[in-house]
Structures are given as C-alpha cells and as structure tokens.
C-alpha cells in the first residue's frame, strides 16, 4: 500500500471546505492514517516547495501557504498517490476536469485549495517533512474488502 501527503491549503480551510475535501478522499476508499491542523512557517513552506525555488510564482506560493492555517493529512491505499492526484485535478483549476476538487471549488492556479504528493519519492520526502513516525496510525477500515478485490 502507498501513502500520499495531502495539504488542505489556507483557502480550503478559510472557505470551510475541509469536510468536503476530506469526505471526497474518504469516500473514494482511501484510509486516513495521519491528520493535524497547523500554521506553516515560511521555513517549512520553503522546504516543502524547495523544488519551485527561483520560479516566478515561488514567493507568492510561500506566502500563500504560510498565510493562514492548513490541515495536513496522510492517506493510504493501493495506488494512493495516483488516486489522490486524480481526485485533486490539474494544477490550474480552470484546466482541471469537472468533478475534481480543484475544478469544483477553484478558479485560479494561485488558489487551488489542495496539495498532493506527485510520486513515490516526493511522497516519502513530504511525509517525513510534515509528520514524525509516531504520528501515523496503523489501522484498517472494516469495509476494505468492499473497496479492494484482493
Ligand atoms: P501541483 O500542486 O499540481 O503539484 P506544482 O506545479 O507542483 O503543482 O506547483 C505547486 C503549487 O504552486 C501549485 O499547486 C500552485 O499552488 C502553485 N503554482 C504553480 N504554478 C503557478 C503559477 O503559475 N502561478 C501561481 N501559482 C502557481
Ligand atoms: Mg507539485
């Protein structure tokens, strides 16, 4: 099973969409294995978005993510990384497919509501950046045999 790191960004929290966003991931069958609400320091934002350093949107991105609290979570499931990215939608909400979180709730790339890991390596790095090992809860959902064939 794979884990993915998800951040409900400040706009998602401020707009009261935490439950809606969480619900979409839960209803897909993904298992929530860690979750917390926190403020994001510019230092943490810089580490999380290090790959984007030097890009024109970098400064705005760091101030956006540190402007107001976020909800950070880890979800687990078969192909969780790909499944979450699909439910999240394309980076620019107006290019995202209808039915995705970004298309259904967003209009601008600089206010796209949610972050999700984009591959196994970044997921491992991001999970270690945002959570200590003791923050993960190991459990299984009783209905998982109705989500997974095997
Ligand atoms: P992703 O979140 O879909 O993985 P990335 O390309 O990794 O997209 O970019 C990280 C974040 O940076 C985006 O989610 C978005 O918030 C922001 N971003 C990316 N491109 C732009 C842009 O052109 N203008 C403003 N913000 C951007
Ligand atoms: Mg990305």
């Amino acid at each position: 099973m794979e884990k993915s790191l998800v951040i409900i960004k400040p706009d998602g929290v401020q707009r009261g969409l935490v439950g809606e966003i969480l619900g979409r991931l839960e209803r897909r069958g993904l298992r929530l294995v860690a979750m917390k609400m926190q403020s994001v320091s510019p230092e943490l934002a810089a580490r999380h978005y290090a790959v984007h350093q030097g890009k024109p949107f970098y400064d705005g991105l760091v101030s956006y993510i540190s402007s107001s609290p976020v909800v950070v979570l880890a979800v687990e499931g078969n192909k969780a990384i790909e499944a979450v990215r699909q439910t999240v939608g394309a980076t620019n909400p107006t290019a995202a497919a209808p039915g995705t979180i970004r298309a259904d709730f967003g209009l601008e790339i600089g206010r796209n509501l949610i972050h999700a890991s984009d591959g196994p390596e970044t997921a491992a790095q991001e999970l270690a950046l945002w959570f200590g090992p003791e923050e993960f809860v190991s459990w299984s959902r009783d209905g998982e045999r109705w989500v997974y064939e095997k």
Side-chain angles (χ1 to χ4, degrees):
M1 289 235 173
E2 252 176 19
K3 283 191 189 68
S4 181
L5 189 279
V6 173
I7 304 172
I8 304 176
K9 295 177 177 181
D11 46 339
V13 177
Q14 287 283 357
R15 292 178 55 198
L17 293 170
V18 173
E20 174 68 43
I21 291 171
L22 216 49
R24 287 178 177 220
L25 299 172
E26 273 191 302
R27 291 198 298 270
R28 186 104 197 244
L30 293 161
R31 189 197 305 155
L32 193 56
V33 291
M35 182 163 75
K36 61 187 170 187
M37 185 177 195
Q38 68 173 80
S39 297
V40 182
S41 66
E43 293 73 28
L44 178 57
R47 289 181 69 190
H48 177 74
Y49 283 126
V51 68
H52 298 299
Q53 224 160 353
K55 294 184 184 168
F57 60 84
Y58 175 78
D59 288 346
L61 178 57
V62 167
S63 65
Y64 162 45
I65 201 83
S66 20
S67 60
S68 179
V70 300
V71 171
V72 195
L73 48 135
V75 293
E76 188 169 51
N78 288 351
K79 297 176 92 177
I81 295 167
E82 189 182 328
V84 173
R85 290 287 291 193
Q86 184 187 42
T87 292
V88 164
T91 308
N92 190 338
T94 53
T100 62
I101 291 165
R102 284 168 169 170
D104 288 356
F105 302 111
L107 286 172
E108 285 196 359
I109 194 166
R111 294 288 183 271
N112 64 1
L113 299 147
I114 179 165
H115 166 84
S117 304
D118 65 6
E121 278 180 22
T122 46
Q125 285 166 12
E126 291 172 0
L127 290 161
L129 179 64
W130 291 86
F131 289 106
E134 73 288 351
E135 292 181 277
F136 292 97
V137 179
S138 179
W139 66 298
S140 58
R141 286 175 70 169
D142 286 343
E144 274 172 12
R145 71 193 175 99
W146 300 112
V147 175
Y148 299 115
E149 184 182 1
K150 292 189 182 88

